[in-house]
Amino acid sequence: MIGKTRAPLGPGEQRTRQRRRTQMIYLGVAMIIGGTIGGISGFFDQGDGHRHREGAGGHCVRRVSSHQQDALLLGQDVVDHYLNNARIGSQKSYTIAAAVPIGSDINAALEIMRGVAQAQNEINRAGGIKGIPLKVLIANDENNSDIANQVATAFVKNTQVLGVIGHYASDVTLATADTYQSGGLVAISPISTTVKLSGRSRFVFRTVPSDYVAARALAEYMLQKLKQQKVAVFFNSQSGYSQSLKSEFVTAVSLGGGQVINEVD
């Protein structure tokens, strides 16, 4: 009835309505990916001026398109990338790539893609780079060193890719450093902090401080703020990041006059 106040939705109705909204978002993304972009398959260049689905970059292309279901979980951030690329169409553009762990760590992938989507939006809304818009290619490296190296190799062979945002874990970025070095392609990691990355390659950079800085801040807090002189350290010897932070922290504690009484793997 017109003018009648609607009764508040119960918890069950609210969940149902939210699911419907989510399904609509997923459907929209699926339509964009499947109809407009075609799962971004075929974006790797084999160097002959033509785009191919198979060959040098074929495996990585299939890997990207095979994880569309995972990509749907990223919601609006994926929508932004595909819509921005679709708006550019076939006109002249600059292209960068983002290597994210969609298949293994959806939240980490989401955080990286939010920043990339924001930068792409800001650049293109401001008229592009000297009038030329920016496209972003997305690849899933599973946060796995072997897969990331395949992705990095495909990026290097794709002459349209001018730079790479990635990778995520320190171990994975380290594993791809030589590939980017030999291929002359710049990669910038927003996450990797291991000190081993410093000076590793003239083409691999990061936007975060290394473990050297973090470890000294932790040691200073322990020694000066907490007034504690002794500490036990737990770390994971299978993680390059963990080993790096542990080593730097132990050194910082020792230099500050403290004592590491035990290291537990």
Side-chain angles (χ1 to χ4, degrees):
M1 181 180 298
I2 298 177
K4 183 177 180 179
T5 303
R6 179 175 296 178
L9 295 176
E13 294 175 304
Q14 291 177 357
R15 287 193 295 270
T16 298
R17 179 165 292 187
Q18 182 61 43
R19 281 197 298 269
R20 288 174 179 171
R21 289 173 180 164
T22 303
Q23 289 168 354
M24 290 301 295
I25 292 175
Y26 289 178
L27 177 60
V29 177
M31 292 174 64
I32 294 167
I33 294 175
T36 308
I37 305 300
I40 66 174
S41 59
F43 69 72
F44 289 110
D45 191 328
Q46 294 183 3
D48 57 2
H50 298 86
R51 295 184 178 183
H52 303 268
R53 296 178 183 270
E54 307 295 338
H59 175 73
C60 294
V61 172
R62 290 194 296 274
R63 178 168 298 281
V64 174
S65 59
S66 69
H67 282 86
Q68 288 182 9
Q69 186 61 37
D70 290 324
L72 298 184
L73 299 177
L74 293 171
Q76 188 60 46
D77 302 289
V78 171
V79 173
D80 288 342
H81 287 300
Y82 285 111
L83 282 178
N84 287 338
N85 290 348
R87 291 189 185 104
I88 295 171
S90 59
Q91 67 177 294
K92 181 180 179 181
S93 61
Y94 292 130
T95 301
I96 63 171
V100 293
I102 294 174
S104 61
D105 193 334
I106 204 77
N107 291 322
L110 175 59
E111 290 301 319
I112 295 172
M113 290 180 62
R114 280 174 177 161
V116 175
Q118 180 180 346
Q120 184 188 23
N121 279 330
E122 291 177 354
I123 290 171
N124 288 345
R125 288 174 180 173
I129 303 170
K130 294 185 177 181
I132 299 176
L134 179 67
K135 281 186 176 180
V136 176
L137 304 180
I138 303 168
N140 172 28
D141 66 8
E142 296 276 7
N143 206 32
N144 176 283
S145 296
D146 292 335
I147 297 173
N149 246 326
Q150 296 174 42
V151 171
T153 299
F155 285 157
V156 168
K157 291 182 178 180
N158 184 347
T159 57
Q160 295 181 8
V161 175
L162 303 179
V164 176
I165 305 299
H167 296 249
Y168 180 64
S170 291
D171 291 339
V172 176
T173 304
L174 281 171
T176 60
D178 291 342
T179 300
Y180 291 122
Q181 173 72 27
S182 61
L185 181 63
V186 171
I188 303 176
S189 172
I191 302 294
S192 301
T193 59
T194 177
V195 293
K196 292 182 179 180
L197 199 58
S198 300
R200 176 65 181 270
S201 169
R202 294 187 300 111
F203 289 88
V204 178
F205 304 88
R206 58 178 159 212
T207 60
V208 291
S210 75
D211 293 326
Y212 175 92
V213 176
R216 274 151 181 74
L218 289 171
E220 181 180 351
Y221 185 84
M222 184 195 84
L223 296 169
Q224 299 183 14
K225 186 73 173 179
L226 300 180
K227 306 298 182 182
Q228 299 295 318
Q229 298 298 312
K230 296 182 178 180
V231 62
V233 179
F234 292 79
F235 71 103
N236 179 4
S237 62
Q238 301 304 309
S239 166
Y241 160 70
S242 183
Q243 286 188 354
S244 173
L245 184 57
K246 185 268 294 185
S247 178
E248 293 300 315
F249 179 72
V250 169
T251 299
V253 169
S254 178
L255 290 175
Q259 180 185 1
V260 176
I261 60 175
N262 200 5
E263 298 180 15
V264 183
D265 184 356

